[in-house]
Amino acid sequence: MMTAHHLPAMIQSMGSLHRYRESLQQLQSTWDNLSLLSQLSGTGTDMSETRQAFGKVTTDVLDSLAQETLNKTISAITAKAQVAVDIVVRNLFERTADIGFLSTDDNLSNFLDKHITGSVDETDYLLLRERFSEYVQKYSVYFNVILLDAGGNILVQLDDTNPTRQSHDPLIEEALHSDAPYLEVFRHSDLSPGRDASLIYARKVCHDNSDTALGVLCLCFKFEDEMDGIFKDLIRQDEWCVGLLLDEQNRVVASSDHYQIPLGAPLEHALGQDWILTRFAGRLYLAVTRETKGYQGYMGPGWRGHVMIPLEHAFEDNVASIIAGIDPILLKKVMRSPLLFSPTLLGIPKQAATIQSKLNQSVWNGNIWQKRDASHNAQQNNFSKMLLWEISNTGFKTQSVVEKTVADLYQTVVAVMLENSRFFASLAVDIMDRNLYERANDCRWWALTATFQRLLSQPELGMQEMHAITKVLAYINQAYTVYSNLVVFDRHSRIVAVSNPTYERLIGETITADWAKAALQLRRSQDYVVSDFEPTPLYDNQPTYIYAAAIRHQEQTVGGIGIVFDSAPQFSAMLSDALPRSADNEVIQGSFTLYVDEKLRVISSTSQDFAVGSHFTVHPGLCKLAPGSTGFDIALYHDNYYAVGARASSGYREYKGAGDNYKHHVTALIFIPLGKAADINAMMDSENLLQQNQFKPASNQAAAEDAEEYATFYIGKHWLGLPASHIVEAIQANSIKPLPDTSSVLEGMLKHKDSVVPVLNLARLTGIDFQPPEQDKQIVIVQAGPKLPKFGLLVSALGEIPAIAPDEIEPLSAFFATINIPAEGIAKVMTDKGENLLILLSAVNLITRISEAARQASVQNAETEGGGDVLEQVA
C-alpha cells in the first residue's frame, strides 16, 4: 500500500490524479463561498451535509485511483522483473544439458587421447575445430568453445582472437576433480580476457565408463547478447523503465540502459516487499525485485530480476490509448464488474448521484419556499434563484469530476488486465520459440553423430549395428527429456532404431510421412524439417511436432533422424508458466492459455474446453496477426467476459528468422477473466432502475408577466407538474404505512409534521410502469389551498421548475383522444436536454381520486389503529 511518507511525491507524479485533485480543491472554494451566500440570503438550503458527503466520496475515489495507478505500474514492472530472470534461467538450463552432452562426444576424448600420446596432427585439429564450428552454427548462443588438457593448455578453440594459450582459472582445476554434471561461473576469466565477466559452463572430458579426466570442455555463453534480446522483448522503446539483473551482492550484472543504471552498480533491492522508492544518481525510482521460480529444479547462478522506473515517468497516462480500440459497449460492461471492483468502488457513482439528488431536492424545495414566502421581494427572489441554481450547478460539477475520476479508476484497472493479457501472451510465445529453437538445433547436431554416419553408410545393418544406434539414442533421450522418442531411419525411410522401447515394434517399418521424405532431400548440415502438428504412430497416434535432419556420410545422404517432441506435457508446462499470477504468485483463477496455429487448430491449452486439434472460434481475428505482432480485446465466452491477449510467433535468434526456411505461424492467447455476464447485467439493470433527481434548474431567464412557475417531477420516464404554489415541499420517506388493499391507488399513509396525509401512487393511477425503491421514496407534499386537504404524491424523481404562460398550455384533447391522467393540460417546455412535453396535473382532480380511493380503503381499514378515521377524514 502507498504510505503517507510516499504520498506527496507519488501524487505529484500522477498527472491525472493531480488534475482531479486541483479541480476538486477549486470546487471546494466555490462550495465555501456558496455556503456563506446561502446563509446570508436565507434560501433555506443547508449545504454542510452535502459538502461533507462530497468531501468523503472524493477522498475515497482519489485514494482508490492513486492506489490503482500505482498498482498498474507495479503490476507491469513486477511482471518484467519476474520474466527477465525466469527467461534467462530457462535458457541456461538448456546450457547445463549442452555441456553435459558435448563433453561426452567421442571426438573430444579421441582427440585428447592423441594429444596425451603426442600423435595429434593438423588434420585432427582442423576436424575438431570444424566440429566446434558446426556446433556453434546450430547452438548460436555460444561465442566460444574451448577444449583444454589437464594442465590448462588450450588445445582447440573456436575464437581465433583469444590470445590465451594456457588458463590459470581455478575453474579448470575444479572441473578436473568434480563429478558434477556441470560447473557454472560468471566472473572475469583468462579464458575470455577481453571481458569484464563471462558466463562459462565447464565439465571434464573422460572416456566412456571412466572417471579419469583427460581434459576440460568449456562453453562460453553470449550473455550480453542474450540479455539484450530479453530486454528488447520486455521493454518497448517508448518505455522509461530499466530492466536489470542483480547478483547475490545486489550488483548489476545486466542492464537494459547502461546510461541510467551501469553494470556493477550496487542497488537497493526490494526482496520481501512489493516495491520500494529508491534513489540512484540523484533521481527517485520506483523499483521491484523478484527471485527466479527456477526451471525443473535449476535455479541459475543466483540472479534476481530487478526493474526500476524514474518516478517522474512512472505514472504516465496511457490508459486512453490502451482502451481506444475496445468496443465501448463491452468496455462499459466490464467496468461494472464485481470481479474487478469492490462493492464500495462500484457504488461510488451511485453514491455521488445520490448526494447530488439530495442536493437537488434541497434546491427544488428552496425554489418552492421562495415562491411561497411573500416577505421576499422580486429582486431578492431572483437573487435567491440564481444562488440556488449555482449551488445545484456546483454539485453537478463536483459529481462530474467524481464520475470522471471513477471512470479513470475503472479504465485503469481494465487497462492493466488488457496489458497483462498481451504481456503474458508474449511470454508464452517467447517460451515456445526459445524451446523449439533448441529442438531445431538438437536434430541437426545429432545428425552429425559419427556412430550414426558410419553405421548407416553400410549396405546392410545387422542387429549389432542397430543396437549400437539404439544405445546412443537412449543415452541422448535420457539427457534430453523433452522428447518422447528419437528415431533413426535409413535412406529408404525404414526405421532402424528408437530410443523409447515402447515403439520397438515399429523398427523395420517405413515412415510414409512427408517430413521423413523431406529430411532425406536435405543437403546441408544447417537444414532441418518439421512435421505438421498432426497425429503420428511415433507418439501414440497423438498430434505433435517431429524435427528431422539428414544423416550424411562423405557427401551422401545415408539416412535421417527424427526427434519426437513430447508436446502434450511440454506445451502444457509452457502455457502454465505463462499464466498470469497474483501478488502471492497464485495463478489468477479462471484464466487460461492456448497455442493456436494458422489453421485455427488448437495445439495446446490449459482449459479442458479447448481440446488439442479442435477448431478455435472464440476470437479468430487475433490468430491472424503478423509474426511478432501483439493484440488484445475483450471477449464474451461461456457467459464470462475475458481480457484476451495474443502474440504471434516470430522465432528466436535464427530459428524462424530471415535465413530459416521453416515458417510456422503459431499464436499464443491468454484469457484473463473480467467478470460474469449475469452478475454485470444484474448490476447494470438495478442501476438503470434507479432514478435520481438529476435535473439542472433553469437559469433566471425572462418570462412572461402572466407566467406561472410549475414544480415538476417524473413518474418513470413521464414528466408531470403542478403549480409551484400548490407544493409544500419534497421529502424522502421510509415510513409510509401501507394499506391492506394492495390494488388501491393509495400507497399508504404518511406522517408529515403534525398531520397524517394520504400518499397517492400516480404510477398505479395512470398505469405507468414504475417500481418505487425500497428505501428513500421520493414524496411531493401538495396543498393546493388553505381549505384543501394536504396529500402526498409518490414520484420517481424531481424535475425543473419552469415558468409557463397560460397561452403555452394546450388542452389534453389536442394530444390524446382518451387519457387516464387527472390533468388539465400539456405544455412544450425547453430544458437543458431540449424541448420536452410536460403534463400539467390538476390538484383538485387528484384530491377527488384520493377521496374515491380513501372511501374504498375506509371500509377495509376502519378498525386499523385509527387509520380508518384518517381515511374517513380524507374521504
Side-chain angles (χ1 to χ4, degrees):
M1 294 290 291
M2 193 185 308
T3 65
H5 175 69
H6 298 127
L7 198 59
M10 291 285 190
I11 291 175
Q12 197 65 33
S13 301
M14 296 177 180
S16 60
L17 183 73
H18 190 55
R19 291 192 297 273
Y20 287 137
R21 192 175 291 274
E22 285 185 338
S23 297
L24 289 167
Q25 287 175 346
Q26 292 172 2
L27 285 169
Q28 184 61 45
S29 298
T30 304
W31 279 118
D32 292 340
N33 293 331
L34 290 174
S35 180
L36 178 61
L37 289 171
S38 178
Q39 293 174 12
L40 293 175
S41 66
T43 59
T45 304
D46 183 7
M47 292 187 299
S48 59
E49 184 178 345
T50 301
R51 290 172 60 200
Q52 292 174 3
F54 268 134
K56 183 180 185 306
V57 75
T58 54
T59 298
D60 290 345
V61 73
L62 286 173
D63 288 348
S64 297
L65 179 58
Q67 193 62 52
E68 291 301 335
T69 302
L70 174 63
N71 290 345
K72 178 178 181 293
T73 299
I74 296 302
S75 174
I77 64 176
T78 298
K80 293 179 191 296
Q82 191 69 64
V83 170
V85 66
D86 284 345
I87 282 288
V88 72
V89 166
R90 267 183 166 271
N91 192 324
L92 299 187
F93 172 77
E94 298 281 355
R95 312 294 62 95
T96 65
D98 288 350
I99 189 66
F101 182 72
L102 187 57
S103 63
T104 62
D105 191 312
D106 290 344
N107 294 276
L108 276 64
S109 57
N110 291 339
F111 183 91
L112 287 169
D113 271 341
K114 285 189 175 184
H115 169 71
I116 292 170
T117 61
S119 57
V120 171
D121 58 23
E122 185 66 17
T123 301
D124 296 324
Y125 169 81
L126 292 174
L127 285 174
L128 187 56
R129 192 176 183 282
E130 177 61 27
R131 188 156 181 81
F132 286 173
S133 178
E134 284 278 8
Y135 188 81
V136 171
Q137 285 180 51
K138 291 149 186 68
Y139 299 90
S140 58
V141 294
Y142 300 109
F143 68 86
N144 201 7
V145 181
I146 307 172
L147 181 65
L148 305 95
D149 65 14
N153 298 298
I154 293 179
L155 305 180
V156 184
Q157 65 173 329
L158 199 56
D159 183 6
D160 287 335
T161 65
N162 183 7
T164 303
R165 293 295 174 261
Q166 183 181 28
S167 174
H168 299 285
D169 193 314
L171 173 66
I172 308 304
E173 190 67 22
E174 185 180 356
L176 287 169
H177 297 91
S178 174
D179 292 326
Y182 65 89
L183 295 178
E184 178 183 55
V185 297
F186 180 73
R187 51 172 168 72
H188 176 72
S189 172
D190 59 10
L191 292 168
S192 301
R195 298 170 181 262
D196 292 334
S198 297
L199 182 57
I200 301 173
Y201 292 84
R203 188 181 182 186
K204 65 183 177 182
V205 179
C206 308
H207 279 303
D208 287 345
N209 304 318
S210 172
D211 291 332
T212 303
L214 303 175
V216 175
L217 176 69
C218 294
L219 297 178
C220 302
F221 182 67
K222 292 180 178 177
F223 176 65
E224 296 86 355
D225 184 58
E226 173 67 10
M227 293 312 303
D228 285 347
I230 290 175
F231 289 142
K232 183 179 179 181
D233 288 341
L234 279 179
I235 301 171
R236 301 189 307 271
Q237 287 186 343
D238 61 343
E239 290 187 283
W240 281 90
C241 59
V242 184
L244 305 155
L245 285 185
L246 305 182
D247 64 15
E248 291 172 314
Q249 286 74 46
N250 297 311
R251 293 188 176 273
V252 177
V253 297
S255 172
S256 66
D257 188 340
H258 294 200
Y259 295 100
Q260 278 200 72
I261 314 291
L263 296 178
L267 296 178
E268 181 184 6
H269 70 77
L271 289 176
Q273 303 176 72
D274 291 337
W275 56 273
I276 59 171
L277 202 60
T278 184
R279 187 184 299 274
F280 182 81
R283 196 178 199 181
L284 273 177
Y285 287 87
L286 199 63
V288 298
T289 311
R290 290 296 178 268
E291 294 190 284
T292 181
K293 299 193 293 287
Y295 183 64
Q296 297 192 14
Y298 170 72
M299 302 303 292
W303 295 332
R304 299 153 178 166
H306 189 77
V307 174
M308 300 168 64
I309 185 168
L311 189 60
E312 69 266 28
H313 296 291
F315 310 112
E316 292 182 346
D317 188 5
N318 62 340
V319 171
S321 63
I322 293 172
I323 64 173
I326 303 300
D327 184 336
I329 295 175
L330 291 180
L331 184 63
K332 181 179 179 181
K333 283 182 175 290
V334 298
M335 285 170 58
R336 306 303 296 151
S337 172
L339 181 65
L340 301 183
F341 308 101
S342 67
T344 301
L345 288 180
L346 286 173
I348 285 177
K350 177 183 176 182
Q351 189 179 352
T354 300
I355 296 169
Q356 180 62 29
S357 177
K358 291 180 178 179
L359 175 63
N360 272 10
Q361 178 181 293
S362 297
V363 171
W364 197 86
N365 283 333
N367 275 283
I368 296 298
W369 295 333
Q370 292 293 323
K371 176 69 178 177
R372 297 170 65 89
D373 191 346
S375 65
H376 286 191
N377 57 41
Q379 185 176 1
Q380 187 175 6
N381 277 340
N382 286 339
F383 172 76
S384 297
K385 287 180 180 179
M386 290 179 63
L387 179 58
L388 289 168
W389 181 88
E390 190 60 39
I391 289 171
S392 181
N393 192 45
T394 301
F396 273 110
K397 289 179 181 178
T398 307
Q399 181 186 358
S400 176
V401 174
V402 170
E403 288 177 345
K404 287 179 181 178
T405 311
V406 171
D408 260 16
L409 168 63
Y410 293 162
Q411 290 177 1
T412 297
V413 174
V414 175
V416 169
M417 306 299 279
L418 291 169
E419 283 279 67
N420 282 349
S421 71
R422 175 165 62 182
F423 179 85
F424 287 106
S426 297
L427 174 60
V429 158
D430 199 19
I431 291 173
M432 180 191 69
D433 281 343
R434 286 167 175 270
N435 191 297
L436 298 184
Y437 158 83
E438 304 289 347
R439 312 301 59 98
N441 296 339
D442 290 346
C443 73
R444 292 179 294 173
W445 177 247
W446 296 335
L448 298 178
T449 302
T451 300
F452 299 162
Q453 295 173 331
R454 176 172 50 81
L455 294 178
L456 286 173
S457 67
Q458 298 178 13
E460 294 291 337
L461 288 179
M463 293 300 295
Q464 184 175 354
E465 289 80 8
M466 294 169 64
H467 177 72
I469 295 175
T470 299
K471 182 180 178 182
V472 175
L473 289 181
Y475 171 74
I476 295 172
N477 208 166
Q478 185 178 8
Y480 292 81
T481 56
V482 297
Y483 301 109
S484 169
N485 192 17
L486 308 179
V487 56
V488 168
F489 50 94
D490 65 15
R491 68 192 74 194
H492 304 294
S493 299
R494 286 194 302 264
I495 297 174
V496 300
V498 294
S499 64
N500 188 339
T502 304
Y503 298 95
E504 285 180 352
R505 68 184 186 280
L506 299 177
I507 293 176
E509 292 191 10
T510 300
I511 303 174
T512 59
D514 291 340
W515 61 265
K517 298 174 184 176
L520 293 173
Q521 300 299 315
L522 300 177
R523 295 294 179 265
R524 298 189 311 129
S525 64
Q526 283 299 102
D527 294 336
Y528 67 100
V529 296
V530 187
S531 72
D532 287 338
F533 188 77
E534 59 189 9
T536 171
L538 294 169
Y539 192 55
D540 197 24
N541 292 316
Q542 297 300 308
T544 190
Y545 291 117
I546 298 178
Y547 285 73
I551 298 173
R552 292 172 60 79
H553 181 70
Q554 296 181 353
E555 304 300 322
Q556 298 294 318
T557 299
V558 295
I561 182 171
I563 57 178
V564 184
F565 186 57
D566 197 3
S567 62
Q570 294 300 321
F571 279 142
S572 179
M574 294 179 207
L575 290 174
S576 295
D577 284 350
L579 282 169
R581 296 175 182 271
S582 61
D584 56 1
N585 204 33
E586 294 295 324
V587 172
I588 293 177
Q589 187 174 5
S591 60
F592 58 91
T593 61
L594 306 94
Y595 289 132
V596 179
D597 69 11
E598 58 191 348
K599 297 179 182 178
L600 299 181
R601 291 177 305 185
V602 175
I603 293 172
S604 184
S605 169
T606 60
S607 170
Q608 295 180 352
D609 291 347
F610 299 91
V612 174
S614 63
H615 192 69
F616 179 74
T617 59
V618 177
H619 212 310
L622 287 174
C623 298
K624 303 296 183 182
L625 298 169
S629 298
T630 62
F632 56 75
D633 210 333
I634 295 174
L636 179 62
Y637 173 68
H638 280 188
D639 295 323
N640 286 279
Y641 289 102
Y642 290 90
V644 187
R647 165 76 182 272
S649 166
S650 60
Y652 169 66
R653 301 183 76 85
E654 66 277 2
Y655 175 67
K656 292 187 182 179
D660 193 347
N661 293 325
Y662 177 60
K663 309 291 182 187
H664 187 56
H665 193 89
V666 175
T667 302
L669 297 118
I670 307 286
F671 284 69
I672 303 177
L674 298 177
K676 294 182 180 295
D679 294 345
I680 294 172
N681 290 336
M683 172 165 285
M684 295 182 74
D685 288 344
S686 67
E687 291 173 347
N688 290 335
L689 291 174
L690 181 67
Q691 197 165 358
Q692 301 274 16
N693 301 321
Q694 290 295 305
F695 68 90
K696 291 188 177 181
S699 57
N700 189 30
Q701 297 176 346
E705 290 185 5
D706 58 348
E708 182 174 5
E709 289 185 347
Y710 282 80
T712 70
F713 40 83
Y714 289 87
I715 307 294
K717 296 181 180 179
H718 297 270
W719 193 29
L720 308 115
L722 281 164
S725 58
H726 294 177
I727 305 299
V728 178
E729 65 176 339
I731 62 174
Q732 286 184 325
N734 294 317
S735 56
I736 301 175
K737 185 177 181 179
L739 301 177
D741 182 9
T742 56
S743 64
S744 172
V745 297
L746 288 178
E747 181 71 13
M749 306 302 294
L750 172 70
K751 184 174 182 180
H752 179 253
K753 297 183 178 177
D754 295 329
S755 61
V756 177
V757 300
V759 177
L760 179 65
N761 188 320
L762 270 178
R764 289 185 202 157
L765 178 65
T766 59
I768 294 173
D769 185 17
F770 162 61
Q771 184 64 37
E774 293 292 330
Q775 300 291 323
D776 295 332
K777 292 181 173 67
Q778 185 75 67
I779 309 295
V780 174
I781 305 298
V782 183
Q783 188 171 29
K787 296 183 179 180
L788 292 175
K790 187 165 58 172
F791 62 91
L793 292 177
L794 175 62
V795 303
S796 307
L798 304 177
E800 292 87 344
I801 303 180
I804 304 173
D807 59 2
E808 294 176 339
I809 300 173
E810 299 283 347
L812 283 181
S813 58
F815 293 87
F816 307 103
T818 59
I819 190 165
N820 188 33
I821 297 178
E824 58 185 16
I826 195 165
K828 294 181 179 179
V829 180
M830 184 61 66
T831 69
D832 66 304
K833 297 178 181 178
E835 191 175 71
N836 200 359
L837 290 178
L838 172 63
I839 298 174
L840 303 177
L841 301 177
S842 165
V844 174
N845 285 345
L846 290 173
I847 293 172
T848 300
R849 298 295 180 92
I850 292 172
S851 297
E852 292 172 356
R855 288 190 188 95
Q856 297 176 8
S858 293
V859 175
Q860 301 178 21
N861 203 42
E863 299 178 359
T864 306
E865 298 180 6
D869 296 337
V870 175
L871 289 171
E872 287 171 3
Q873 293 172 17
V874 174

